[in-house]
């Protein structure tokens, strides 16, 4: 184990650790463009120069293995001067178009230039111009002038996705990143090259010019597009989610996320969002105060409870938070007595990297909260037959509208009383007896349990439209209106709800909202660590 | 007498006979007024007459076009960021035409009810696209009318002839080197 000193601080590191990594372990951020913790070392940008006692000149710390007795100085005059010279060279042909560049505000060129740059260029020859606004695909736009040819993107396609679409063409100051003629970037992970680009050369077609980054509120939350539960940083402005970028979590998604999850940000602001409660009166839905709809549904549940609960079917979405699923179970099973609870499975194809086959973000949590058909009850599979036989008198859909499932909707039409609690005016919302406007994942605080048994916290990013509220609040009101025994108080905080749930559900014992921190924690008895490969082996 | 320490009651002065007659004081006042009739007039007949404003005067902020009638603003949003009362709203969009200034404001609003005429927007603008005009008569019949949209801001600002043409110069330079926009072969 080599022991070295960095700026006078001793540190012992694993053999093979580079000086840059050792410095980072000491929280000394040596500037770097081409080095990325998830990619191989290229050592081409030369900005990570440090001075090492006994070695001639300055060394690039990203490719210098730590050796025993090494004495490194990261901010000596020689190192800083050398970096400033590198900075000056990198900016010779840079267009300096920060006012129109999407990277401005989170650009390493800006940061290091501010730190090391002189503020004026000594080069008065015309800049070497290159291609701009090159569409590498319909999702990624390339600007060759801004590029510093650090090859992070090239290494990403080579080492992580294995698609090998990008390469460096030409030489010297004419070097550019390019695809093969007529080819484009492909696949579900191509937008990661936008995130890892340290400058504004690669930009997202979806986010391009939408907002300067410093105007956005950045919130760490969890993607809800599949059961991987990738950690993300959501950028919001004007009460809209403008972009999702991956947030590092070594146990879940490392530094990456898929494009499908990243682009799945339109739902909160969709045209058909439900903003008000509705009640069916004389065959027509009329808008009512939410309290009235809650009372109507509570009255129907009282009837169902009086009838023993066997005629009540509850469909609880696996996109809801675990607390919401638990509250739904308290209401529909523990109070109203329904044995017929189920969730709606969504499946796709697992790609062996991040995207999983289970496209619901919280199947594990919802199952743990007790959403499953009881003995003698039926689930979603049995619902159609039961409804057609007239055995279902009441159906409560929480977070699922059955859109895109015409057979289930036809069966639902045979149920005398249906209630829909959810976010969009699709499918069941149009015909339900009671409609209560709910929230999307971007509007609630709660716990999702990913496919590896890791509990992670999602956070509210935007406000609900109109009367819409998170399902947890609606369910708490329903429990209070129904007079359910042992239900949490309607004013319970998200943290208290989790505590109450953890105390009631053995599978979730010990869970607290605060204990999840930024990166989540495995449920008891689970590893909570992603089991799949994280990129192709080189 | 007040019994609070540090306070004392002041007696009212007694009125003299002249004070009590009132008229001497009125005559005195009229004499002062009359003496001003013969002095040089200082009143300006606004709005028929107007001030000549100094060069540094900061009126309504306005947007300017360059001498080829192109929008100088590239929607960098620095003015929106720096504006202390948050009077500016910008929604950027892609600029058509394939020039190097790829961005332009789709919406550029300044709420003149909020604007405090501090001039920070002019100072921060990297494109020299926003200027404090000499316009100071800001009136409207509603709050909505007091939000100046892009077209009105350009109307106030007009065209500014100055040699600042960094995007166009870069475009010309690139054309001379045979470098275009969009997907073409990399440089040979």
């Amino acid at each position: 184990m080599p022991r070295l000193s960095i700026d006078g601080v001793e540190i012992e590191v694993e053999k093979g650790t580079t000086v840059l990594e050792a410095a980072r372990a000491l929280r000394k951020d040596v500037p770097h463009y081409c080095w990325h913790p998830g990619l191989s070392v290229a050592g081409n940008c030369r900005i990570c120069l440090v001075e090492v006692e006994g070695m001639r000149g300055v060394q690039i710390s990203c490719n210098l293995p730590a050796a025993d007795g090494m004495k490194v100085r990261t901010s000596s005059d020689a190192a800083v001067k050398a970096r400033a010279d590198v900075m000056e060279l990198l900016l010779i042909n840079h267009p300096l178009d920060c006012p129109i560049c999407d990277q401005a505000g989170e650009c390493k060129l800006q940061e290091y230039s501010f730190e090391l740059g002189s503020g004026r260029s000594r080069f008065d020859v015309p800049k070497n111009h290159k291609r701009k606004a090159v569409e590498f695909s319909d999702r990624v736009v390339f600007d060759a002038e801004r590029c510093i040819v650090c090859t992070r993107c090239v290494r990403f396609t080579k080492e992580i996705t294995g698609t090998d679409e990008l390469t460096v063409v030409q030489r010297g100051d004419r070097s550019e990143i390019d695809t093969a003629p007529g080819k484009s970037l492909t696949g579900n992970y191509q937008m990661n090259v936008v995130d890892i680009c340290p400058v504004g050369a690669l930009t997202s077609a979806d986010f391009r010019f939408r907002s300067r980054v410093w105007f956005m509120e950045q919130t760490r939350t969890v993607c809800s597009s599949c059961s991987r539960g990738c950690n993300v940083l959501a950028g919001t402005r004007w009460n809209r989610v403008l972009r999702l970028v991956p947030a590092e979590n070594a146990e879940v998604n490392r530094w990456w996320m898929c494009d499908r999850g990243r682009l799945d940000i339109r739902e909160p602001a969709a045209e058909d969002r439900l903003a008000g409660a509705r009640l069916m009166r004389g065959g027509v839905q009329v808008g009512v105060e939410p309290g009235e709809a809650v009372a109507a549904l509570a009255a129907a549940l009282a009837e169902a409870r009086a009838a023993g609960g066997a005629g009540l079917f509850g469909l609880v979405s696996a996109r809801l938070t675990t607390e919401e699923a638990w509250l739904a179970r308290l209401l529909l099973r523990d109070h109203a007595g329904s044995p017929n609870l189920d969730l709606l499975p969504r499946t796709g194809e697992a790609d062996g990297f991040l995207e999983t086959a289970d496209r619901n973000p919280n199947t594990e949590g919802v199952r743990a909260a007790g959403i499953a058909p009881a003995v003698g009850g039926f689930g979603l599979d049995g619902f159609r037959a039961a409804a057609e036989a007239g055995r279902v008198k009441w159906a409560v859909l929480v977070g699922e509208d059955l859109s895109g499932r015409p057979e289930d909707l036809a069966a639902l039409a045979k149920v005398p009383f249906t209630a829909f609690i959810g976010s969009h005016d699709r499918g069941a919302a149009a015909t339900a007896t009671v409609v209560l406007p709910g929230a999307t994942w971007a509007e609630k605080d709660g716990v999702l349990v990913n496919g590896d048994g890791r509990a992670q916290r999602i956070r509210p990013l935007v406000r609900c439209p109109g009367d819409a509220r998170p399902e947890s609040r609606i369910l708490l009101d329903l429990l209070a209106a129904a007079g359910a025994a042992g239900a949490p108080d309607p004013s319970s905080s998200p943290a208290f709800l989790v505590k109450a749930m953890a105390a009631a559900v053995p599978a979730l014992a010990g869970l607290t909202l605060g204990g999840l921190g930024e990166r989540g924690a495995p449920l008891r008895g689970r590893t909570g660590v992603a089991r799949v490969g994280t990129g192709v082996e080189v | 007498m007040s019994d609070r320490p540090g306070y004392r009651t002041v007696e009212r002065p007694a009125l003299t006979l002249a004070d009590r007659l009132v008229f001497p004081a009125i005559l005195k006042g009229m004499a002062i007024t009359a003496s001003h009739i013969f002095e040089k007039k200082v009143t300006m007949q606004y709005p028929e007459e107007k001030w000549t404003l100094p060069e540094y005067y900061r009126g309504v902020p306005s947007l300017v076009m360059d001498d080829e009638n192109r929008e100088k603003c590239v929607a960098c949003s620095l003015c929106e960021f720096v504006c202390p009362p948050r009077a500016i709203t910008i929604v950027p969009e892609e600029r058509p035409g394939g020039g190097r200034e790829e961005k332009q404001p789709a919406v550029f609003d300044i709420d003149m009810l909020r604007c405090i005429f501090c001039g920070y927007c002019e100072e921060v603008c990297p494109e020299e696209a926003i200027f404090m005009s000499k316009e100071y008569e800001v009136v409207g019949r509603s709050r909505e009318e007091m939000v100046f949209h892009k077209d009105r801001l350009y109307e106030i600002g007009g065209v500014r002839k100055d040699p600042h043409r960094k995007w166009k110069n870069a475009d010309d330079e690139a054309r001379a080197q045979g470098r275009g926009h969009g997907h073409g072969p990399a440089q040979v």
Side-chain angles (χ1 to χ4, degrees):
Chain A
M1 296 264 283
R3 191 172 177 81
L4 71 163
S5 99
I6 299 176
D7 295 338
V9 185
E10 295 260 320
I11 182 173
E12 196 167 314
V13 292
E14 293 283 327
K15 199 170 184 303
T17 307
T18 62
V19 170
L20 181 91
E21 286 163 336
R24 277 164 66 88
L26 289 174
R27 307 214 163 226
K28 287 182 192 303
D29 200 10
V30 181
H32 53 272
Y33 295 111
C34 68
W35 184 83
H36 186 282
L39 300 171
S40 64
V41 173
N44 61 30
C45 77
R46 322 302 293 184
I47 199 78
C48 63
L49 295 167
V50 293
E51 208 181 354
V52 182
E53 212 164 273
M55 292 177 96
R56 200 164 61 89
V58 281
Q59 309 290 325
I60 49 167
S61 59
C62 71
N63 204 15
L64 182 67
D68 213 30
M70 214 176 223
K71 284 195 169 57
V72 180
R73 274 181 292 170
T74 65
S75 42
S76 67
D77 290 346
V80 171
K81 172 72 171 60
R83 278 185 220 147
D85 290 346
V86 169
M87 213 38 240
E88 190 174 12
L89 292 170
L90 285 174
L91 290 179
I92 294 177
N93 287 313
H94 189 80
L96 300 174
D97 56 352
C98 307
I100 57 161
C101 179
D102 278 338
Q103 190 83 3
E106 51 185 20
C107 173
K108 288 192 175 245
L109 268 180
Q110 277 187 331
E111 283 166 26
Y112 301 153
S113 182
F114 191 75
E115 214 173 286
L116 306 158
S118 71
R120 87 176 36 245
S121 173
R122 289 186 288 168
F123 296 85
D124 53 5
V125 289
K127 285 182 189 267
N128 185 10
H129 288 283
K130 294 178 184 174
R131 300 172 302 162
K132 295 179 86 73
V134 182
E135 286 178 3
F136 272 174
S137 73
D138 55 353
R139 298 180 202 158
V140 178
V141 182
F142 174 62
D143 188 312
E145 288 190 343
R146 294 179 191 152
C147 178
I148 58 166
V149 205
C150 72
T151 69
R152 271 187 179 185
C153 52
V154 175
R155 282 174 283 146
F156 178 83
T157 60
K158 197 189 287 290
E159 295 163 17
I160 305 297
T161 59
T163 45
D164 228 341
E165 290 129 338
L166 297 177
T167 187
V168 182
V169 295
Q170 300 305 328
R171 295 186 300 178
D173 69 348
R174 298 183 165 195
S175 304
E176 282 181 35
I177 306 296
D178 206 355
T179 56
K183 299 282 177 160
S184 64
L185 267 175
T186 55
N188 197 17
Y189 293 92
Q190 47 176 300
M191 289 176 81
N192 286 294
V193 300
V194 175
D195 306 327
I196 59 175
C197 183
V199 299
L202 292 164
T203 50
S204 150
D206 185 60
F207 181 68
R208 202 167 149 85
F209 304 144
R210 288 203 59 199
S211 170
R212 305 319 303 265
V213 295
W214 55 78
F215 286 123
M216 294 192 298
E217 206 168 313
Q218 309 272 2
T219 315
R220 192 171 172 132
T221 183
V222 176
C223 172
S224 73
S225 291
C226 81
S227 68
R228 173 71 58 203
C230 290
N231 289 207
V232 297
L233 206 56
T236 48
R237 192 185 179 196
W238 303 307
N239 201 35
R240 285 201 171 208
V241 184
L242 294 185
R243 72 166 182 185
L244 297 182
V245 293
E248 189 268 334
N249 188 335
E251 319 254 42
V252 184
N253 56 315
R254 308 223 289 171
W255 303 270
W256 326 116
M257 77 181 287
C258 77
D259 296 357
R260 195 178 64 85
R262 188 193 295 263
L263 296 172
D264 193 9
I265 51 174
R266 312 260 182 262
E267 287 292 79
E271 289 279 306
D272 54 357
R273 268 308 289 275
L274 282 168
R278 302 199 297 233
L279 262 186
M280 189 73 89
R281 281 197 184 129
V284 192
Q285 280 183 339
V286 291
V288 293
E289 287 296 309
E292 212 175 316
V294 165
L297 179 49
L301 288 172
E303 283 175 41
R305 175 181 156 94
L312 172 64
F313 172 66
L315 186 63
V316 179
S317 178
R319 286 172 165 177
L320 296 177
T321 65
T322 315
E323 303 91 288
E324 287 167 336
W326 173 65
L327 292 172
R329 196 204 72 175
L330 285 186
L331 182 72
L332 301 173
R333 172 158 298 155
D334 300 2
H335 177 70
S338 168
N340 319 311
L341 294 188
D342 207 356
L343 52 78
L344 178 72
R346 279 189 183 78
T347 49
E349 209 171 303
D351 63 5
F353 184 24
L354 292 176
E355 203 175 33
T356 59
D358 179 4
R359 297 293 160 85
N360 277 325
N362 196 23
T363 308
E364 295 263 337
V366 172
R367 287 283 186 222
I371 301 300
V375 182
F378 54 84
L380 184 62
D381 296 334
F383 164 70
R384 218 180 296 160
E388 264 147 30
R391 287 190 284 123
V392 186
K393 298 280 190 289
W394 303 272
V396 179
L397 310 179
V398 190
E400 292 290 0
D401 50 29
L402 294 173
S403 54
R405 298 175 72 96
E407 292 97 340
D408 287 329
L409 279 173
L412 195 68
K414 299 207 165 57
V415 179
F417 180 97
T418 55
F420 171 67
I421 307 170
S423 52
H424 291 83
D425 195 357
R426 293 168 194 162
T431 52
T433 323
V434 176
V435 175
L436 276 158
T440 63
W441 67 277
E443 290 141 7
K444 45 180 96 163
D445 200 338
V447 178
L448 300 182
V449 182
N450 80 358
D452 303 305
R454 186 181 198 82
Q456 303 188 102
R457 182 176 185 179
I458 56 167
R459 288 177 178 275
L461 310 173
V462 292
R463 295 182 303 276
C464 293
D467 286 336
R469 287 182 305 157
E471 277 80 352
S472 56
R473 297 292 128 193
I474 299 172
L475 289 163
L476 282 167
D477 281 356
L478 280 165
L479 284 162
D489 188 82
S491 62
S492 302
S493 69
F496 180 81
L497 276 185
V498 174
K499 211 168 123 189
M501 173 176 73
V505 183
L508 302 170
L511 193 66
T512 60
L513 207 48
L516 294 179
E518 271 196 337
R519 283 147 194 265
L523 291 184
R524 196 162 290 176
R526 304 290 298 274
T527 63
V529 179
R531 289 169 306 224
V532 293
T534 34
V536 292
E537 296 300 321
V538 191
Chain B
M1 282 293 284
S2 168
D3 49 3
R4 291 168 66 189
Y7 287 76
R8 74 192 167 85
T9 308
V10 181
E11 292 295 323
R12 276 180 185 280
L15 293 179
T16 61
L17 181 68
D19 290 338
R20 270 188 276 175
L21 281 175
V22 177
F23 289 103
I26 290 177
L27 289 174
K28 196 175 159 191
M30 286 177 76
I32 292 170
T33 308
S35 74
H36 281 288
I37 292 174
F38 305 103
E39 278 179 15
K40 195 176 160 238
K41 290 193 182 83
V42 292
T43 310
M44 177 181 279
Q45 294 302 314
Y46 180 85
E48 287 80 14
E49 283 177 60
K50 285 184 180 175
W51 280 96
T52 335
L53 297 169
E55 197 42 51
Y56 51 79
Y57 184 81
R58 299 198 304 261
V60 170
S62 66
L63 291 172
V64 299
M65 303 263 187
D66 69 4
D67 44 10
E68 288 175 7
N69 278 324
R70 298 186 330 163
E71 260 184 280
K72 292 185 89 175
C73 175
V74 296
C76 79
S77 304
L78 285 187
C79 51
E80 183 178 6
F81 180 69
V82 81
C83 181
R86 296 193 183 186
I88 303 178
T89 309
I90 298 170
V91 179
E93 68 178 359
E94 186 148 14
R95 185 186 293 235
R100 266 172 164 65
E101 68 275 58
E102 296 171 318
K103 210 162 70 162
Q104 66 183 21
V107 172
F108 196 118
D109 289 348
I110 303 182
D111 188 340
M112 293 304 172
L113 293 175
R114 283 186 159 227
C115 179
I116 56 169
F117 306 94
C118 65
Y120 279 14
C121 49
E122 176 180 332
E123 203 168 315
V124 79
C125 183
E127 301 296 326
E128 296 180 13
I130 190 163
F131 284 90
M132 303 305 279
S133 68
K134 299 241 170 5
E135 185 70 43
Y136 52 85
E137 290 159 323
V138 198
V139 289
R141 288 162 189 272
S142 64
R143 288 183 173 269
E144 292 71 43
E145 218 177 294
M146 293 301 286
V147 178
F148 285 20
H149 301 303
K150 197 167 93 168
D151 45 354
R152 190 152 174 205
L153 294 169
Y154 275 117
E155 205 180 291
I156 300 169
V159 170
R160 191 157 184 116
K161 287 188 168 53
D162 60 33
H164 180 109
R165 288 185 190 163
K166 68 176 179 189
W167 303 106
K168 193 162 179 303
N169 290 348
D171 273 335
D172 292 345
E173 217 172 77
R175 238 187 310 274
Q177 293 174 16
R179 310 307 309 149
H181 221 66
H183 220 308
Q187 196 170 12
V188 281

